Amino acid sequence: MPIKHNYSLETLRHSLAHITALAVLRLYRGQVCFGVGPVTEQGFYYDMEIKNSGQNSLSLEELPKIEEEVHKIIKEGLPFKKKTVSISEAKKIFKKLKQPYKLELLKDLEQYGTTVESQKSKIKSQKLKINKVKTVTIYQIGEFVDLCRGPHIRNTREMTLYFKLTKIAGAYWRGNEKNSMLTRIEGVAFETKAELEKYFDWLQEAERRDHRKLGRQLDLFTFSDLVGSGLPLFTPKGTIIIEELKKYIEGVCRKYGFEKVTTPSLAKIELFEISGHAQKFNDELFRVTSPKGHSFVLKPVQCPHHTQLYASRLRSYKELPIRYMESDKMYRAEKPGEVGGLSRVYAITVEDGHIFCRPDQVKDEIKNLVQIIKEFYSSLGLWENQWVSLSLRDYSHPEKYIGDPKDWDKCEKILQEISNVMDLQAKRREGEAALYGPKLDFMFKDALGNEIQIPTIQLDFATPKRFNLTYINEQGKAVNPVMIHRAILGSYERFLALLIEHFAGAFPLWLASVQIVLLPVSSKQAHYSQTVATTLRKEELRVEVWEDETISKRIRQAELQKIPYIIVLGDKEKKEKTVSVRERGSKVLTVLPLEQFLNKIKHELTKKK
Ligand SMILES: [Zn+2]
Ligand SMILES: [Zn+2]
């Protein structure tokens, strides 16, 4: 008989974290110090220090044993006992239990009224008022006692989730590398067995599509210890994909009046002090100095450089809008431990753009930008399931933003109107705005169902004022233009990672680094292969000829490389001037005159298939 209850998934998952902690405590009696055990998107984790034969770690092999104990505890039907105590009483309890991490949390509660690090530092730096905490709640199951706000289930028997302990990882106490390293036991837990199974299918699919793995397999990018982590090197094949993306996005933007500009990576810090980025990025800025006394900053964003192109001469209202675009590297000093793959790197190549326009032009400009985003993402099959966020400021914390509140109101109104007119049905989300203004953010779902937030349109009345940018209006008066920041594909690095995973490495023809591979059956067709290759290359197609190994081995290799077209050339093809074509994903060989194949390919390329 299933047990009926009304607990939320969160309560159940969090209770499971406690049960897991008890299981560990039983198995490694008296040698466990507990950190925290919150819920996650798929389940929960618990951080703990396990002094197991002098080593603070567990091996993956021990998970089944812990899992078995968890099942046992559920069957035992132990009650979750809740107690409200004063902080000093709680301190006594955890001192007796020898739980230093819990004691640290209690100290924070006493001093700052919170255990959240970000709130703590805010209270310290801004001298905010502290919400006094007098009492805390303690939950106990068996001999495991936890400092916890709850809520929890009443009895372990009420644990109805289907779960699996999945991972053991190292995690710094409170995410700070200066603290000790704890062991994190992670689990996934769902309400039904089907959901749990679906999760593991998804995981398998995610591994199959993993961009780091496929990036190696398809030879798209690499890393070097000498160059450093977080600094990817793109191979010729990877570079082709990036260049094709660049060519395409720039072509689309050019249709809407964007012009390409080029600016240096370095600038004086003053540039970013005026823009406000120096303060905002602060410890994420790379500072560059030389023995000759130079002192520069590697640009963390493109906008300030573009304002200086605008400011290079006097502007008239007739010249506006001015639209700049640039694909260039930007630098962020990410935490060394956090860089990895293409998703988190030190230097990202951002496809960036800025519009300077008159207030009466703002709406049309934004409409065009929405068109660009739609055109670009539709062609990649990503436009479906999209939704739009109207990202507004956090009204209770105006100090986080720059600019005049009146301008903010105006901007928010404009974006809302555009959402209405274009039927974007933008969801209003407070606290998601940029430093200088509200924005429209476009969200997509990739093939794995992950939400991706890349394209953005941001209205900015503040930056032109900060840089004193002006134009002469119809009345002959110098006034500030409006600045619009826009990103379409974001950074090429992250976008490539996304596309690799989205297409599982099987890029559409126009993006594929090798579009066609020619496989002569024997050396007798070597000459004909070269003739075919030359004909195709004349049409700017990316062709390789593979002559080594047996034909079946080469076909297998071409499949692994996910090349869109495999062409087999034997004596018959040579004699009849034809090609035997095998499309990716199909086992059928179709014989076509070379000319006809060429037309088919050209047609597909124009349709961006
Ligand atoms: Zn808890
Ligand atoms: Zn910008």
Side-chain angles (χ1 to χ4, degrees):
M1 261 278 285
I3 299 158
K4 282 219 172 87
H5 58 63
N6 288 318
Y7 299 118
S8 71
L9 181 58
E10 200 180 326
T11 300
L12 287 161
R13 281 175 171 169
H14 183 55
S15 300
L16 195 54
H18 279 234
I19 297 173
T20 306
L22 173 61
V24 175
L25 192 61
R26 279 183 177 181
L27 293 169
Y28 306 93
R29 192 164 287 273
Q31 301 165 319
V32 192
C33 297
F34 293 96
V36 290
V39 296
T40 61
E41 228 171 281
Q42 318 285 356
F44 63 91
Y45 67 78
Y46 216 118
D47 286 349
M48 49 190 90
E49 196 175 357
I50 302 163
K51 299 212 169 77
N52 188 12
S53 59
Q55 260 182 322
N56 172 30
S57 68
L58 284 176
S59 65
L60 213 51
E61 287 79 63
E62 287 167 271
L63 281 186
K65 203 169 69 187
I66 299 169
E67 211 173 274
E68 202 178 302
E69 193 63 33
V70 171
H71 283 291
K72 224 171 97 193
I73 294 167
I74 292 170
K75 277 203 204 103
E76 283 170 25
L78 301 178
F80 273 77
K81 289 186 227 154
K82 182 183 170 183
K83 217 159 87 183
T84 307
V85 296
S86 68
I87 289 200
S88 62
E89 212 172 316
K91 275 169 137 180
K92 270 186 224 151
I93 294 169
F94 287 104
K95 204 175 231 168
K96 209 170 143 215
L97 290 166
K98 294 198 183 88
Q99 293 295 332
Y101 301 112
K102 299 289 175 190
L103 284 169
E104 197 183 315
L105 294 175
L106 280 167
K107 220 172 111 194
D108 276 357
L109 278 177
E110 199 171 34
Q111 254 184 332
Y112 305 103
T114 177
T115 59
V116 181
E117 291 281 343
S118 59
Q119 281 176 23
K120 232 174 80 185
S121 57
K122 223 184 197 171
I123 287 169
K124 274 195 235 168
S125 65
Q126 297 173 15
K127 302 208 166 53
L128 297 180
K129 218 182 126 235
I130 296 160
N131 291 322
K132 273 264 173 239
V133 176
K134 289 199 188 86
T135 59
V136 293
T137 48
I138 284 175
Y139 281 87
Q140 176 166 10
I141 36 165
E143 60 267 50
F144 175 66
V145 184
D146 205 351
L147 173 68
C148 172
R149 203 181 289 152
H152 279 292
I153 53 179
R154 279 179 302 267
N155 189 294
T156 58
R157 210 180 293 122
E158 293 176 311
M159 179 50 62
T160 46
L161 296 183
Y162 292 82
F163 67 93
K164 186 132 194 69
L165 300 182
T166 48
K167 215 168 138 189
I168 302 247
Y172 290 110
W173 167 237
R174 312 193 94 171
N176 186 338
E177 64 260 53
K178 286 183 195 128
N179 292 339
S180 49
M181 174 78 90
L182 305 182
T183 300
R184 175 169 297 179
I185 298 181
E186 287 182 42
V188 293
F190 298 92
E191 271 159 355
T192 63
K193 202 175 170 198
E195 279 173 292
L196 185 67
E197 278 165 5
K198 214 172 110 195
Y199 168 78
F200 283 104
D201 288 347
W202 174 87
L203 199 66
Q204 210 178 16
E205 187 62 17
E207 272 162 25
R208 189 176 78 85
R209 291 172 183 266
D210 184 80
H211 79 267
R212 282 160 297 195
K213 197 190 94 204
L214 281 169
R216 257 193 316 273
Q217 185 183 323
L218 303 176
D219 187 26
L220 300 179
F221 58 89
T222 182
F223 291 90
S224 146
D225 282 342
L226 263 185
V227 176
S229 58
L231 296 164
L233 307 171
F234 290 93
T235 62
K237 282 180 180 164
T239 305
I240 284 171
I241 299 174
I242 287 176
E243 288 298 317
E244 283 296 328
L245 281 171
K246 206 180 276 183
K247 213 161 71 187
Y248 178 47
I249 185 68
E250 287 175 358
V252 177
C253 290
R254 218 170 271 124
K255 282 200 294 191
Y256 291 90
F258 277 91
E259 296 172 296
K260 219 171 153 175
V261 294
T262 310
T263 62
S265 295
L266 298 174
K268 298 196 288 189
I269 182 88
E270 285 90 330
L271 181 74
F272 300 107
E273 278 167 356
I274 294 174
S275 71
H277 290 102
Q279 297 83 325
K280 190 188 174 204
F281 289 112
N282 193 18
D283 59 348
E284 280 177 47
L285 287 185
F286 273 113
R287 286 155 207 274
V288 183
T289 55
S290 82
K292 293 186 182 127
H294 298 102
S295 174
F296 289 111
V297 165
L298 280 169
K299 61 182 173 193
V301 286
Q302 213 80 269
C303 344
H305 277 91
H306 287 184
T307 66
Q308 296 313 292
L309 277 168
Y310 178 93
S312 62
R313 59 184 170 84
L314 194 65
R315 305 287 179 181
S316 139
Y317 69 95
K318 287 184 205 155
E319 278 176 81
L320 302 184
I322 288 172
R323 308 176 189 90
Y324 296 140
M325 63 172 163
E326 180 173 12
S327 290
D328 196 19
K329 292 231 159 39
M330 297 180 196
Y331 303 84
R332 303 267 169 92
E334 303 275 359
K335 279 191 184 164
E338 285 175 4
V339 292
L342 288 185
S343 314
R344 205 84 184 254
V345 292
Y346 291 125
I348 50 171
T349 318
V350 176
E351 193 283 310
D352 205 358
H354 295 98
I355 300 172
F356 300 91
C357 66
R358 304 191 305 256
D360 64 291
Q361 295 169 323
V362 167
K363 275 191 198 163
D364 281 339
E365 288 307 307
I366 294 180
K367 277 187 205 165
N368 284 345
L369 290 175
V370 175
Q371 279 315 118
I372 292 175
I373 293 167
K374 195 172 171 182
E375 187 173 334
F376 182 75
Y377 281 85
S378 300
S379 69
L380 290 163
L382 282 161
W383 185 251
E384 284 156 51
N385 299 322
Q386 130 282 6
W387 65 275
V388 182
S389 156
L390 173 49
S391 304
L392 308 166
R393 64 199 193 267
D394 179 352
Y395 295 100
S396 52
H397 290 285
E399 78 280 358
K400 288 202 290 198
Y401 309 94
I402 61 171
D404 187 342
K406 269 191 233 134
D407 286 340
W408 274 83
D409 292 340
K410 223 190 298 174
C411 290
E412 288 179 8
K413 206 170 140 247
I414 292 172
L415 292 181
Q416 181 62 61
E417 277 168 26
I418 285 168
S419 164
N420 299 347
V421 172
M422 299 194 80
D423 195 25
L424 299 175
Q425 297 173 22
K427 282 184 210 159
R428 294 175 74 89
R429 295 196 307 159
E430 282 177 27
E432 299 290 324
L435 171 68
Y436 39 71
K439 51 188 183 137
L440 288 176
D441 292 309
F442 292 75
M443 319 289 198
F444 303 95
K445 280 233 161 88
D446 70 8
L448 286 166
N450 296 321
E451 191 154 82
I452 345 160
Q453 173 183 345
I454 297 176
T456 177
I457 302 171
Q458 310 180 355
L459 256 183
D460 179 2
F461 284 53
T463 303
K465 285 182 188 161
R466 288 186 157 231
F467 282 103
N468 202 16
L469 305 180
T470 57
Y471 65 92
I472 306 301
N473 69 9
E474 279 179 278
Q475 287 76 41
K477 229 178 98 193
V479 292
N480 300 120
V482 182
M483 189 168 176
I484 305 172
H485 308 248
R486 95 328 169 243
I488 312 296
L489 66 68
S491 84
Y492 289 92
E493 287 81 3
R494 216 182 125 204
F495 201 74
L496 180 62
L498 165 92
L499 288 186
I500 292 173
E501 294 182 358
H502 183 68
F503 293 120
F507 285 96
L509 185 68
W510 69 279
L511 275 177
S513 40
V514 179
Q515 296 168 315
I516 303 156
V517 63
L518 303 181
L519 309 179
V521 174
S522 72
S523 58
K524 281 191 282 174
Q525 298 88 32
H527 182 72
Y528 180 55
S529 303
Q530 288 309 328
T531 317
V532 174
T534 309
T535 310
L536 296 173
R537 281 181 188 137
K538 265 188 197 152
E539 302 291 334
E540 292 186 27
L541 291 165
R542 298 184 285 269
V543 184
E544 283 188 1
V545 184
W546 295 355
E547 290 171 312
D548 297 336
E549 297 287 353
T550 64
I551 190 81
S552 58
K553 260 196 189 155
R554 280 179 280 160
I555 288 177
R556 176 81 198 113
Q557 191 53 33
E559 281 172 343
L560 279 176
Q561 293 290 310
K562 300 173 193 274
I563 297 170
Y565 286 102
I566 300 171
I567 289 185
V568 180
L569 301 170
D571 267 341
K572 194 161 172 284
E573 286 83 4
K574 182 180 160 187
K575 215 170 87 198
E576 293 167 359
K577 300 270 174 281
T578 57
V579 290
S580 285
V581 185
R582 210 175 112 156
E583 243 176 275
R584 183 174 54 203
S586 154
K587 298 240 180 279
V588 185
L589 267 181
T590 318
V591 183
L592 291 173
L594 180 58
E595 198 61 24
Q596 201 180 325
F597 171 69
L598 199 54
N599 288 337
K600 172 183 153 69
I601 294 273
K602 281 203 253 178
H603 180 71
E604 276 179 28
L605 282 173
T606 52
K607 294 194 102 185
K608 286 252 167 324
K609 263 196 182 170

